[in-house]
Amino acid sequence: KQGGELLGPDRERIRRLAQPGFAPGQLDELRPEARALFAEILDAALPRGRGEAADVCMSYSVRMICRLLGWPEEDWRKILA
C-alpha cells in the first residue's frame, strides 16, 4: 500500500474480483433496485426534517457497492465503522 492505494498483485486480485459487478449489463439490471434503495434512504431521512447530504450519499454508495459485490447488505454499517 502506498498512500492508501493498493499496488501490484493485491490491486489486480481485488480488481478481478470486483469487476464483474460493475459490468454495463449488471448495472442496467440494478437500475430499478438502485432507484428504490435511494428512495428508501430519502424516505427515512425526510421525516426527521433534516439530513446531511453526505450521510445519505455515503449510505447509498456503500449499500449499492455491497449489492454489486454480492456482500450481505446488513454489513454496510460495519464497512463505514
Side-chain angles (χ1 to χ4, degrees), residues 5-77:
E5 295 182 27
L6 287 173
L7 300 175
D10 287 336
R11 179 185 182 279
E12 292 305 315
R13 180 177 57 83
I14 290 174
R15 184 178 173 149
R16 277 193 307 277
L17 288 170
Q19 196 165 13
F22 294 92
Q26 178 74 12
L27 295 175
D28 286 341
E29 289 177 21
L30 284 174
R31 185 167 283 129
E33 189 176 345
R35 287 183 175 145
L37 175 61
F38 196 74
E40 174 188 324
I41 292 168
L42 281 181
D43 288 345
L46 290 176
R48 295 187 304 237
R50 63 178 179 77
E52 293 291 325
D55 292 340
V56 169
C57 292
M58 184 62 70
S59 171
Y60 176 74
S61 299
V62 172
R63 290 171 74 180
M64 278 308 301
I65 289 170
C66 285
R67 289 179 184 195
L68 286 167
L69 297 177
W71 295 347
E73 186 177 337
E74 59 272 8
D75 288 351
W76 73 270
R77 282 188 168 84

